[in-house]
Amino acid sequence: MIILLFAVLAVGVPTSVVWRLGKRARVPRWIVAVFLLAGWLTIFAGWALSQRAQPFLFPDTSPCGSSGTPVSQYYPPDSFCRHTDGELRTVNGPNAQLLFWTAHNTALAMLIAAAFARRHKQA
């Protein structure tokens, strides 16, 4: 129960603050909504990509298993296994970062769109 409360607060408070700041700055609601969705998707996709090799949830099914040591990279997010021969291999595959970079660039585009929308309203 306390974990659920923490999760609601961890997501709800920043979302509420950003929504209110957007409203105060008179940024269109759709820009703020897309920014929030893309921002949270960026955070969760980045976390999933960077923690995939870590054996904290299901140690028996970890991609590294007993053949390597898990290594995480947080930006850009990726997970690797360092094998006994010293080779570092990714566990996310070649197309796994597409969702992260799409969400990241959408959030960035919405920041730019908000600045243009605010500037256009003032003129």
Side-chain angles (χ1 to χ4, degrees), residues 4 12 17-18 37 39 41 55 60 62 67 69 80 83 92 95 99 106 109 114 123:
L4 181 62
V17 168
V18 169
L37 290 172
L41 185 59
D60 296 336
S62 172
S67 65
T69 306
F80 305 95
H83 295 275
N92 287 321
N95 296 324
L99 177 67
T106 302

Side-chain angles (χ1 to χ4, degrees), residues 14-114:
T15 300
S16 176
V17 168
V18 169
W19 188 263
R20 289 179 185 181
L21 286 173
K23 188 175 180 181
R24 184 175 181 168
R26 295 186 183 129
V27 174
R29 284 187 209 148
W30 71 270
I31 291 178
V32 178
V34 171
F35 172 76
L36 285 168
L37 290 172
W40 284 116
L41 185 59
T42 301
I43 290 170
F44 290 128
W47 177 82
L49 287 171
S50 67
Q51 297 302 310
R52 187 152 179 235
Q54 301 298 329
F56 65 90
L57 194 53
F58 301 107
D60 296 336
T61 59
S62 172
C64 293
S66 60
S67 65
T69 306
V71 177
S72 291
Q73 175 180 318
Y74 296 107
Y75 193 82
D78 207 353
S79 290
F80 305 95
C81 289
R82 185 178 307 279
H83 295 275
T84 53
D85 60 357
E87 186 179 359
L88 200 61
R89 292 186 213 134
T90 184
V91 297
N92 287 321
N95 296 324
Q97 292 187 353
L98 180 65
L99 177 67
F100 171 80
W101 286 113
T102 302
H104 178 274
N105 290 333
T106 302
L108 183 62
M110 289 301 106
L111 278 175
I112 295 167

